[in-house]
Amino acid sequence: MILICSAFCASSISVNDGKLDISVSMVDSSNIKFTLKVDSGDWVGIGFGDDMNNHDMFYVSDGNFYDCYATGESTPTTDSDQADYTFTGSSGTYEIS
């Protein structure tokens, strides 16, 4: 799944009969906001790069936000820079910017 958002757009996708909705919008010229709607008990992860080698990523699982960094084709570790995302949300709707 690929979402592409250029300056000041709003793009969204719904998958699995609406069990997962992802919206992407530009906050300003250097910040993107992701809005995720996930069924309870499900998880969703988003990574930035063309593979899992040395790329930033995050995931939301059971209402918890995890800021991670992947160094290869294995479970990502906790990112040493925990200030690169802002997370808010509850009850299956989350905003990450």
Side-chain angles (χ1 to χ4, degrees):
M1 171 186 343
I2 298 174
L3 293 175
I4 299 174
C5 188
S6 60
F8 306 106
C9 72
S11 299
S12 64
I13 188 168
S14 180
V15 293
N16 203 15
D17 295 323
K19 291 185 178 184
L20 169 62
D21 293 318
I22 302 174
S23 298
V24 180
S25 59
M26 295 296 295
V27 175
D28 54 39
S29 63
S30 61
N31 293 290
I32 300 171
K33 178 173 78 173
F34 294 89
T35 302
L36 311 172
K37 293 182 182 179
V38 184
D39 276 1
S40 178
D42 289 343
W43 69 272
V44 63
I46 297 178
F48 304 95
D50 56 1
D51 58 25
M52 289 185 65
N53 292 314
N54 301 317
H55 291 294
D56 206 21
M57 58 185 57
F58 63 81
Y59 69 96
V60 176
S61 177
D62 293 324
N64 297 303
F65 175 78
Y66 300 91
D67 183 358
C68 300
Y69 191 82
T71 57
E73 300 290 329
S74 61
T75 303
T77 58
T78 300
D79 192 344
S80 61
D81 180 4
Q82 290 291 299
D84 49 354
Y85 299 109
T86 301
F87 172 77
T88 58
S90 64
S91 303
T93 301
Y94 309 98
E95 290 189 356
I96 298 101
S97 56

